[in-house]
Amino acid sequence: MDRDLCVLAVPDCPHLPLLLERLARVLPDGGVRDVSVRTVTSDAEAARYGMHGSPTLLVDGRDPFTPEGEASFGLSCRVFRRPDGRLEGAPGVDRLRAALGC
């Protein structure tokens, strides 16, 4: 995969391991080693890097799970809606595959 992947997360984010595990399932050869993880500790950093809650996956500098133009950045805990309506701390494998084109 020839894309720049970066995960933004607050220190000790409880959802970070779930996102990394799902990325490992989606990426060729478990390519999670090619994913950089950046710890964000202030609202100013969250705005500068484009973090819409923790964790945020950036693909080539863009968050594929936030609508274009969304301006709410911050350190809050992030949740994602599953197809059945339940909330969880990381995008599902199918949504990650679609976002990454895998």
Side-chain angles (χ1 to χ4, degrees), residues 12-95:
D12 302 317
C13 174
H15 301 298
L16 179 60
L18 177 62
L19 177 56
L20 294 177
E21 181 269 324
R22 288 180 177 175
L23 283 169
R25 289 174 47 195
V26 169
L27 295 171
D29 300 321
V32 74
R33 69 185 172 281
D34 298 325
V35 176
S36 64
V37 177
R38 175 170 289 176
T39 302
V40 178
T41 59
S42 73
D43 286 327
E45 282 183 307
R48 180 173 45 241
Y49 298 128
M51 183 168 135
H52 297 278
S54 183
T56 290
L57 172 65
L58 299 179
V59 179
D60 296 330
R62 186 182 151 277
D63 179 350
F65 302 105
T66 299
E68 248 349 274
E70 174 70 40
S72 63
F73 302 109
L75 302 177
S76 63
C77 193
R78 187 169 184 178
V79 292
F80 298 83
R81 190 164 304 280
R82 294 170 33 136
D84 65 7
R86 293 186 315 173
L87 299 175
E88 60 186 354
V93 170
D94 291 340
R95 290 186 69 201

